[in-house]
Every structure is written in C-alpha cells, then in structure tokens.
Amino acid sequence: MQKLQIIQDRVARQVMFALAAFAGLIVFLMAFGLFVRSRPILESFPLFELLSSSSWHPLKGEFGLFPFLLGTLWVTGVSIVVAVPFSLLCAIHLSEYATRRICEWVKPLIDLLAGIPSVVYGICGVLIIVPLIKNHLAPLFGTFSTGYTVLAGGLVLAVMVFPIIIHVALEVFSSVPYEVREASLALGATKWQTVKLVVLRKAMPGIIAAIVLGISRAFGETMAVLMVAGNVARVPKSVFDPAYPLPALIANNYGEMMSVPLYDSALLLASLVLLLVVVFFNILSRFVLIHVEKGIQ
Amino acid sequence: MENHTHIRVRELSVYYGREQALKNISVDIPEKRITAIIGPSGCGKTTLLKSFNRLIDSIDGVRVSGEISMNGDNIFNPKIDVTLLRKKMGLLSQRPHPLPMSIYDNVAYGPRIHGIRKKRKLDQIVEHYLKESSLWEEVRDRLHTPASGLSVGQQQRLCLARGLAVEPEIILGDEPTSALDPTASQRIEEKFLQLKARYTIVVVTHILRQAVRLADYVVFLYLGELIEHGPAEEVFKSPKKELTQGYIKGVIV
Amino acid sequence: MSRKGSSKVNTRKVEEQFFKTLMIIATLIIISTLGVILLTVIMKGLPALSLSMITQTPKGGYYLGKEGGILNAIIGSLYLAGGATVLAILISLPIVMYFNIYAPKKSLFVSACRFSLDVLWGVPSIVFGAFGFTIMLFFGLRASLLGGIIAVALLVLPVMSRAMDEVVKMIPRDLLEASFSLGATRLQTAAKVVVRQALPGILTAVLVAFGRGIGDAASVIFTAGFTDSIPTSILRPAATLPLAIFFQLGTPFPEVQDRAYASALVLTAVILIISILSRVLAKSFTKHVVK
C-alpha cells in the first residue's frame, strides 16, 4: 500500500515535470513550427527582399511585406503616443493621489476594460471613431478621409493598451519604497515635486517596461485594428491614410491562402515576424521588471 | 539655564481608522536640546515624531485631534503651508533612504526645490553641509556618482546633510542608528551632540543606553499613552511611575 | 517672508494643481471610455436583440437579412471556450503543483518556465491561430472544434497557469509541511490540501481564462472554421460569437449589421457576468486566507 503511493508520487512527478517543460517550450515550438512552414518562401526569396519590398501581389508571386510592417508601426506609434500620457497620469493619480476608496472603484473598472473582447472594441471603433474622423477630424485638417485610417486604428488600440500600461505602472510605483517619498516630502517638497523628481525617476526602468509591454500588445492586436484601419496595402503617409497592419493581413486572407502557391508560407512568415518582434519586446521588458522587483528586496 | 519650549503638544490624539495610536498627549519639547522619545516598539513613538512634520497626513484614514504648536503657531491650522513647515524640520529615518540620484543632487535636492538655482551657490551649500555631517572628505572625489554606492553609515550621514541643507530649526530622528554598525552609530551620536548647540533635536529610540548618552530630556510612551516626561537625569535616576521603572530596569520590553 | 519666496511657493502650488487636474481628467477619460463602450453596445444592440436571435440557428439567407439567430455561434463559443478551459486546466494544475510543491526551491528550471509563460502571455492571439494552423497541417486536421480548442487552450494557458501560480504560492509553507509530517505524499498534499485551500483562487483563474477564450477571435479564425449549424463532433467546424459578430458586421445589409450589435451585446454580457463572478470569488478568497 505504502509502496503504491510512493510509485504514484514518482509517476506524478515525472508527468508534472514533463508538462511544465512543455509549457516552457511552447514559445520555442511556435517559433520552430512557424519557421518550418515559412521556409518555402524564405528559400524562394531573400528575407531582406520580402521585408523591404512594397509590392504585394500573391497571384503574381510577389510577397512584399513592407507596407504591412509600416502599417503596423504607424498604428502602434499612434496608439502609444496617445496611450502613454493618459495611462501614466492615471497610474500616478491612482498610486500617489487617490484615496483608497477611489482606487477600489477605479481599478476593477480598468480590469473590466482589459477584459472586453477585441471585436467589441472594433465595433465601437466603427461606430464612434471612424465617423468622428470622417466627419470632424479630417475636415478640420482640410483633408478627406473615409475614417478607416491609421488614426482610427491607433485610437482604438490606445484604449486597449490603457489597462496594460496602467496595471504594470501601478505595480512598479508600488515597488518604490514609501520612505523615499517620505524623505522628499520631509524636505518640504510638494507631492508633485516628489512624484516628478523621485518616484518617476526611481520607477523609470519599470515604466519603460510597461510602455514596451503596451507596444507589444498593440503590435499584435488583430481584430479591432482589422475592423477600423482600412486595410489598403500601401505605405501610409499620414494618420489620415488607411493602413494594413501585419496581423490584419494574416487574419484577412486565411480563406484563400491555401489555393495560391507560397501564399500560406508568406502569411506564416508574417506570423513568425510578429512572434519574434513581440517575444523580443516581452523578454526585454520582463527582464527589466524582474530586476525592478529584485531591487526592492 | 533657561529652557524655551520649541514644540508644544497639547491633548494630541491620533487614530488610524478605529485604532487609537496616541492618547491625549501633552508635552513640551525644549529648544536646542536633545529630546529622546523612548518606549517599547508599537507604542506610538514614530507616530508622535511624524505628527510634528505632519507626515502622518499621507496615511489613509488617519484622524488627529488636539494641538501641536511650533513657536506659537498651530501646525494643524489648515491655512499653514505644509511644505514650509516640513522645511523647518530635517528627518532621519530608520534606515537611510538616499534619493535615486547622485550624492551632490541628494544634498542639493532640498535647496533646489525651494528655488535655489545658481550653480555656485549650490556648490557652496553641498560642500558646507557635507562637511557639517563629516562626509566631505570621503566623497569629495565622487560627488556625481549615485548615492546608492555609499555604505549604509555614509548614506545616513548623507541623509543628515540633505536634511540640514534646507536650513531647518529642528532635527527629527526616527531610530536613526538602528540600521548602522556600532562605529557608524557612534559617529551619528557625536554629530547630534555637536548639532544641539544650534538645533532642537528629537530622537526616537528603543535603545535605552543611547537615550542615556544623548538625551537632555526624555519622553516615555507606553501603548500610546504618555507615562512620564522630564529632564533626562530625573527620569533615569528617579522615575516616578512604576511603568517607567520597569522599562528602565528592562522588565518591560 | 520675502516676496520672492512667496511667489516661488505659488508657482509650485500652481504646478501641483495643474498636474493634479490633468491626472483627474486622464482617469475620468479612461473610465469614461469604458462607459462609452458599454453604452454603445447596449444602445445599438438592445433594439436588435430578440428571442429568436439567441434561440435559433441561421436559416437560409440569414446573412442577407432573412430569419434565424446566432445560437450556432453561442453554443460553438461555449463548447470551444469550455473545451479549451478544461484542456488548459489539465495542463495548468500539474504545472502549478510542480512549481510550488515538487520542484526544489529556487529552481532555475521553474524560473525559466515562469518567465517563458510570461512571455507567452504577451504573444498575440493571431500567432496562436497561425501556430494552431501549422499543428493542424502537421496532423492533417481540418478546421474544426478540436483545432480551435487546441489553439485557444494554448492561448489561455499562460493566463490560467500564472494566475493559479500566484494563488498557490500564497499558501503558507507550514500548511504543506504539516501535511508532509502526517506522512502524506506530495501528490496527496497537492490533491487534498493545496487544491482545497486554493480552490476559490483556482476557480477565479479558470473564469478569467474562460473569459479570455470566449472573447478571442483571431486565434480561432484559422483553426475552428465557421458553420451555420451546431457542431455535432469535435472534428466538425464550429462557429464562434466573435467571428459571427465580425462576419455580420462585414455584410452590406443594415439589418444584418444590427444583428452584429446584438451579438456583441450578448458577448459583452457574458464577459461582464464572468468578470463579476470572478471578482466575487476573489473577494471570498481573500476573506478566508489567513495572512
């Protein structure tokens, strides 16, 4: 009886170890799987040409990803420019100024914002932001626009990125010891001076990590952007131009990709590029965050 | 020798939520003397100290009643500018917390936030106060390196220089030697004895011998209540209350 | 006081007030985006919502504005998110037990796994879809409920396992040692003590993962396919709510677009209920844990 239990225990240990190892390896498996599938196109064209060519004509066998890369960069850039000031101000407000009662109200709402599915964001983008740009913002700047633009994609993404930056920034702020704030206050600094000169300074690496996590989220977000960015395979020249971000490209063409030679390989290469960029950003910011956390103990 | 009162505390009570941390405290802190607040841990020593520069304000759910006046002005008067009040007091906390910047910027931080911008003036201030806290010789060649690179003892002296640089009248010490080794502690204690000629010093300590070495005046708190206060000699040699006797003999820890 | 000194104080106060106002405005704007989103979905969705929408499958010509509902997508999403959640639990629980009970303290392997899961958390769902698709090609599977379940299970795995990990980590070490000292093996301890102690937290993690799974579209677009009927086997394609919303919105017919809003309302309601449930659970959890 005793022996059986010990054997059970040992088997369980092996199984658990194997599962943990599997979980740890998923990222690598993904990269490997996508790489294997994108090899056909990498063998047909040099990688540099694929990434730098602007001509995307799958039927003619031309797979230039440049417009899509730039589309992603534009949309991500706009979203970060909008999201960073708002999220940081909000995070500072919650961590340094707001009473506990306000925090208890606001934080769950921000969590809720994080839980809203991206199609719902997309719908709201189509219903609110796209008309706003078409009817008000574009005329204001003297241009015509359908509303389905870089700006629309960026604004929708910004709202989706708020919760991530706020969440990570709050954790970073809470890791700044209270006594450092106290030291500054005791010298007669105002609260804002303390925040600006001490808290933000101490939290800077963590804040950058928060922003990078936000960027990587925006970089890979698919459905919401797909619905509002316009999807025209041309390099955007202004925020009122349509964009065709990489994730949108992948999602939009799953239907026909098996019937055109190399098409599937091109799309899986696009996924691989997306994966590698996002993983790079994530590793970077996680390292910083681990460092920040250790610095406290 | 005449004793001017610098900080006058009257019927001070402090509550954290429902818990009462200080109960009806009335005491006078004499000017240009070292006052030691003693008592077992959790008795409200730090709360009393942080009431003086109103750092307790930023704690959630804190309530204060009673009065503290400095030079005759009530510090809880809502019209008073807290930052100016705090400028009058330098704080040394339990462990040194250098600001995340260079040694120079740490000392210059206070003067800068209070509006001194001229480089020459700042240089003078930094040098003067680093000398005042006997740190100058050790750091003069690396003023622009991060303050976190100093030893804990040096950091505490840096914090002292930082606090003195805003030209306070009062120095508050919250167990300022508890994180230091004996030599470093001794240096801080020596500093205090020199500084009391020009500053009023209030030190919270749970080390009785330190209180004996330093204090001119002693305040003994127990569970939020003021048990006994008076000139150090009297309190240590002939305590009037049984609790004080017990604490001094080491029966109550 | 010199005049210069007091003007300095004033600029400091003005700056303080200025930034404080900015912060409050930023917070209000962020909170109001949530309000605007919920209001939009309710105002647009409620008029178009009808009983037949949620009790019928699409009839012929549904996407041209004819009769029918989205029951196929509702059921499909529940199957898919449910299946993926179960699969993810089967992987997450052992992993978390290994991390916290079996592995030696300060194991490099465990830190590496945790790190890798955190990175996986940040991988976009479209990449999970693409990867799921390569797996399916490898095994010769076609777009099906099973394919979708695998992709979504991988997607929610990091969310679930890291959330469980945080909960199980908080169980006092003494409790485990008490169980060991009674002669229980680690497996028995894991099954009886840890799971029971951390149950509310584990359920919260499960709900959060379910919510993420049911709302995700990009990972199922390649893998689960789409169909107008309710799937009868895991090898058949399955419709999902987010994709149903996407397709209905993509038609040129206003009646069908209205149905997209109604479907979005259904999805949002499901998500809201899940997140409220998990919050209630999390609260009851913190109440019982002795710190």
Side-chain angles (χ1 to χ4, degrees), chain A residues 99-100 177-180 182-190 193-194 197-198 201-202, chain B residues 50 53 55 58 60 83 86-87 89 91 97 99-101 105 109 113-114 162-163 166:
Chain A
T99 59
R100 204 186 310 158
Y178 180 69
E179 288 80 0
V180 180
E182 215 172 55
S184 166
L185 290 175
L187 292 169
T190 62
Q193 283 176 321
T194 304
L197 301 170
V198 179
R201 196 165 181 150
K202 189 123 186 161
Chain B
K50 289 188 176 166
N53 63 1
L55 270 180
S58 34
D60 248 351
T83 59
R86 288 178 183 155
K87 186 173 175 288
M89 302 183 212
L91 174 74
H97 285 280
L99 301 170
M101 45 190 87
D105 289 338
Y109 181 85
I113 58 173
H114 293 290
R162 183 179 71 191
V166 293

Coordinates of all heavy atoms in Angstrom, one line a residue, chain A residues 99-100 177-180 182-190 193-194 197-198 201-202, chain B residues 50 53 55 58 60 83 86-87 89 91 97 99-101 105 109 113-114 162-163 166:
Chain A
T99 N -7.5 58.4 -2.9 CA -7.8 57.7 -1.7 C -8.0 56.2 -2.0 O -8.3 55.9 -3.1 CB -9.0 58.3 -1.0 OG1 -10.1 58.1 -1.8 CG2 -8.8 59.7 -0.6
R100 N -8.0 55.4 -0.9 CA -8.2 54.0 -1.2 C -9.6 53.7 -1.8 O -9.7 52.8 -2.6 CB -8.0 53.3 0.1 CG -7.6 51.8 -0.1 CD -7.5 51.0 1.2 NE -6.7 51.7 2.2 CZ -6.9 51.4 3.5 NH1 -7.7 50.5 3.9 NH2 -6.1 52.0 4.4
P177 N 9.8 52.3 -2.5 CA 9.5 52.3 -1.0 C 8.9 53.6 -0.6 O 9.3 54.7 -1.1 CB 10.9 52.2 -0.4 CG 11.9 52.0 -1.5 CD 11.2 52.2 -2.8
Y178 N 8.0 53.5 0.3 CA 7.3 54.7 0.8 C 8.2 55.7 1.4 O 8.1 56.9 1.3 CB 6.2 54.3 1.8 CG 5.5 55.5 2.3 CD1 4.6 56.2 1.5 CD2 5.7 56.0 3.6 CE1 4.0 57.4 1.9 CE2 5.0 57.1 4.1 CZ 4.2 57.8 3.2 OH 3.6 59.0 3.6
E179 N 9.3 55.2 2.1 CA 10.2 56.0 2.8 C 11.0 57.0 1.9 O 11.4 58.1 2.3 CB 11.2 55.2 3.6 CG 10.7 54.5 4.8 CD 9.9 53.2 4.4 OE1 9.9 52.9 3.2 OE2 9.4 52.5 5.3
V180 N 11.2 56.6 0.6 CA 11.8 57.5 -0.3 C 11.0 58.7 -0.6 O 11.4 59.9 -0.6 CB 12.2 56.8 -1.6 CG1 12.9 57.8 -2.6 CG2 13.1 55.6 -1.3
E182 N 8.8 59.8 1.5 CA 8.7 60.5 2.8 C 10.0 61.4 2.9 O 9.9 62.5 3.4 CB 8.7 59.5 3.9 CG 7.9 59.9 5.1 CD 7.8 58.7 6.1 OE1 8.8 58.2 6.5 OE2 6.6 58.4 6.4
A183 N 11.1 60.9 2.5 CA 12.3 61.7 2.6 C 12.2 62.9 1.8 O 12.6 64.0 2.3 CB 13.5 60.8 2.0
S184 N 11.6 62.8 0.6 CA 11.4 64.0 -0.2 C 10.4 65.0 0.4 O 10.6 66.2 0.5 CB 11.0 63.6 -1.6 OG 10.5 64.7 -2.3
L185 N 9.3 64.4 0.9 CA 8.2 65.3 1.5 C 8.8 66.0 2.7 O 8.5 67.2 3.0 CB 7.0 64.4 1.9 CG 6.2 63.9 0.8 CD1 5.1 62.9 1.3 CD2 5.6 65.0 0.0
A186 N 9.6 65.3 3.5 CA 10.1 65.8 4.7 C 11.1 67.0 4.5 O 11.3 67.8 5.3 CB 10.9 64.7 5.5
L187 N 11.6 67.1 3.2 CA 12.4 68.2 2.9 C 11.6 69.4 2.4 O 12.2 70.4 2.0 CB 13.4 67.8 1.8 CG 14.5 66.8 2.2 CD1 15.2 66.3 1.0 CD2 15.5 67.4 3.2
G188 N 10.3 69.2 2.5 CA 9.4 70.4 2.1 C 9.1 70.3 0.6 O 8.6 71.3 0.1
A189 N 9.3 69.2 -0.1 CA 8.8 69.1 -1.5 C 7.3 69.0 -1.5 O 6.7 68.4 -0.6 CB 9.5 67.9 -2.1
T190 N 6.7 69.5 -2.6 CA 5.3 69.2 -2.8 C 5.1 67.8 -3.3 O 6.1 67.2 -3.6 CB 4.7 70.2 -3.8 OG1 5.3 70.0 -5.0 CG2 4.8 71.6 -3.4
Q193 N 6.3 67.5 -6.9 CA 7.8 67.5 -6.9 C 8.3 66.2 -6.6 O 9.2 65.6 -7.2 CB 8.3 68.6 -6.0 CG 8.2 70.0 -6.6 CD 8.7 71.1 -5.6 OE1 8.5 71.0 -4.4 NE2 9.4 72.1 -6.1
T194 N 7.7 65.6 -5.5 CA 8.2 64.3 -5.1 C 8.0 63.2 -6.2 O 8.8 62.4 -6.5 CB 7.4 63.8 -3.8 OG1 7.6 64.8 -2.8 CG2 7.9 62.5 -3.3
L197 N 10.4 64.2 -9.3 CA 11.8 64.1 -9.1 C 12.3 62.8 -8.5 O 13.4 62.4 -8.7 CB 12.3 65.3 -8.3 CG 12.0 66.7 -8.8 CD1 12.3 67.8 -7.8 CD2 12.8 66.9 -10.1
V198 N 11.4 62.2 -7.8 CA 11.9 61.0 -7.0 C 11.2 59.7 -7.5 O 11.8 58.8 -8.0 CB 11.7 61.1 -5.5 CG1 12.1 59.9 -4.8 CG2 12.4 62.4 -5.0
R201 N 11.6 59.0 -11.3 CA 13.0 58.7 -11.5 C 13.3 57.3 -11.1 O 13.9 56.5 -11.9 CB 13.8 59.7 -10.8 CG 15.2 59.8 -11.2 CD 15.7 61.0 -10.6 NE 17.1 61.2 -11.0 CZ 17.6 62.4 -11.1 NH1 16.9 63.5 -10.8 NH2 18.9 62.6 -11.4
K202 N 12.9 57.0 -9.9 CA 13.2 55.6 -9.4 C 12.4 54.6 -10.2 O 12.9 53.5 -10.4 CB 12.7 55.5 -7.9 CG 13.2 54.3 -7.2 CD 14.0 54.6 -6.0 CE 14.5 53.3 -5.4 NZ 15.7 53.6 -4.5
Chain B
K50 N 6.2 61.8 13.6 CA 5.8 62.1 12.3 C 4.6 63.1 12.4 O 4.2 63.6 11.4 CB 5.4 60.9 11.5 CG 6.7 60.2 11.1 CD 6.5 59.1 10.2 CE 7.9 58.5 9.7 NZ 7.8 57.2 9.1
N53 N 6.0 66.8 11.8 CA 6.1 67.4 10.4 C 5.0 67.0 9.6 O 5.0 67.1 8.3 CB 7.5 67.1 9.8 CG 7.7 65.6 9.6 OD1 6.9 64.8 9.9 ND2 8.9 65.3 9.0
L55 N 3.9 64.3 8.5 CA 4.0 63.2 7.6 C 2.9 62.2 7.8 O 2.6 61.4 6.9 CB 5.3 62.5 7.7 CG 6.4 63.1 6.8 CD1 7.7 62.3 7.0 CD2 6.1 63.1 5.4
S58 N -0.3 61.7 5.1 CA -0.5 61.0 3.9 C -0.9 59.5 4.2 O -1.0 58.7 3.3 CB 0.8 61.0 3.1 OG 1.9 61.0 3.9
D60 N -3.6 56.8 4.9 CA -5.1 56.7 4.7 C -5.8 56.5 6.0 O -5.4 55.7 6.8 CB -5.3 55.5 3.8 CG -5.8 55.9 2.4 OD1 -6.1 57.1 2.3 OD2 -6.0 55.1 1.5
T83 N 4.5 72.4 3.2 CA 5.9 72.2 2.7 C 6.8 73.2 3.5 O 8.0 72.8 3.8 CB 6.0 72.6 1.2 OG1 5.5 73.9 1.0 CG2 5.1 71.6 0.4
R86 N 7.5 71.6 6.9 CA 8.5 70.5 6.8 C 9.9 70.9 6.5 O 10.8 70.3 6.9 CB 8.0 69.5 5.7 CG 6.8 68.7 6.1 CD 6.3 67.8 5.0 NE 5.1 67.2 5.4 CZ 4.2 66.7 4.6 NH1 4.4 66.8 3.3 NH2 3.1 66.1 5.0
K87 N 10.0 72.1 5.8 CA 11.3 72.6 5.5 C 12.0 73.0 6.9 O 13.2 73.0 6.9 CB 11.1 73.9 4.7 CG 12.4 74.5 4.2 CD 12.1 75.6 3.2 CE 13.3 76.4 2.8 NZ 13.8 77.2 3.8
M89 N 12.1 71.2 9.4 CA 12.5 70.0 10.2 C 13.2 69.1 9.3 O 12.7 68.7 8.2 CB 11.3 69.3 10.8 CG 10.5 70.2 11.7 SD 9.1 69.3 12.4 CE 7.9 70.7 12.5
L91 N 14.5 65.3 8.7 CA 14.1 63.9 9.2 C 15.2 62.9 8.8 O 15.7 62.8 7.7 CB 12.8 63.5 8.5 CG 12.3 62.1 8.9 CD1 11.8 62.0 10.3 CD2 11.3 61.6 7.9
H97 N 17.5 56.5 3.4 CA 16.9 56.3 2.0 C 17.4 57.4 1.1 O 16.7 58.5 1.0 CB 15.3 56.4 2.2 CG 14.8 55.2 2.7 ND1 14.6 54.0 1.9 CD2 14.4 54.8 3.9 CE1 14.1 53.1 2.7 NE2 13.9 53.5 3.9
L99 N 17.9 59.5 -2.1 CA 17.0 59.7 -3.3 C 17.8 59.1 -4.5 O 19.0 59.0 -4.5 CB 16.8 61.2 -3.5 CG 16.1 61.9 -2.3 CD1 16.0 63.4 -2.5 CD2 14.6 61.3 -2.2
P100 N 17.0 58.7 -5.5 CA 17.7 58.0 -6.6 C 18.4 59.0 -7.5 O 18.1 59.2 -8.7 CB 16.5 57.4 -7.4 CG 15.3 58.2 -7.0 CD 15.6 58.7 -5.6
M101 N 19.5 59.5 -7.0 CA 20.3 60.5 -7.8 C 21.7 60.5 -7.2 O 22.0 59.8 -6.3 CB 19.6 61.9 -7.8 CG 19.1 62.3 -6.4 SD 18.1 63.8 -6.5 CE 16.5 63.1 -6.8
D105 N 23.4 65.7 -5.9 CA 22.0 66.1 -6.1 C 21.2 65.8 -4.9 O 20.1 66.4 -4.7 CB 21.4 65.3 -7.3 CG 22.0 65.9 -8.7 OD1 22.5 67.0 -8.6 OD2 22.0 65.1 -9.7
Y109 N 19.1 68.7 -3.5 CA 17.6 68.5 -3.7 C 16.7 69.5 -3.0 O 15.9 70.2 -3.6 CB 17.2 67.1 -3.3 CG 15.8 66.7 -3.6 CD1 15.4 66.3 -4.9 CD2 14.8 66.8 -2.6 CE1 14.1 65.9 -5.1 CE2 13.5 66.5 -2.9 CZ 13.1 66.0 -4.1 OH 11.8 65.7 -4.4
I113 N 14.5 72.5 -4.7 CA 13.0 72.6 -4.8 C 12.5 73.8 -4.1 O 11.4 74.3 -4.3 CB 12.3 71.3 -4.1 CG1 12.8 71.1 -2.7 CG2 12.5 70.1 -4.9 CD1 12.0 70.1 -2.0
H114 N 13.4 74.4 -3.2 CA 12.9 75.7 -2.6 C 13.5 76.9 -3.4 O 13.5 78.0 -2.9 CB 13.4 75.7 -1.2 CG 12.6 74.7 -0.3 ND1 11.3 74.8 0.0 CD2 13.0 73.5 0.2 CE1 10.9 73.8 0.7 NE2 11.9 73.0 0.8
R162 N 21.6 66.2 3.8 CA 20.4 66.5 2.9 C 19.4 67.3 3.8 O 18.8 68.3 3.3 CB 19.9 65.2 2.4 CG 18.7 65.4 1.4 CD 18.2 64.1 0.9 NE 17.6 63.3 2.0 CZ 17.2 62.0 1.9 NH1 17.5 61.4 0.8 NH2 16.6 61.4 2.8
G163 N 19.2 66.7 5.0 CA 18.2 67.4 5.8 C 18.6 68.8 6.3 O 17.9 69.7 6.4
V166 N 18.3 72.2 4.0 CA 17.2 73.1 3.8 C 17.1 74.1 5.0 O 16.1 74.8 5.2 CB 15.9 72.3 3.7 CG1 15.8 71.6 2.4 CG2 15.6 71.4 4.8

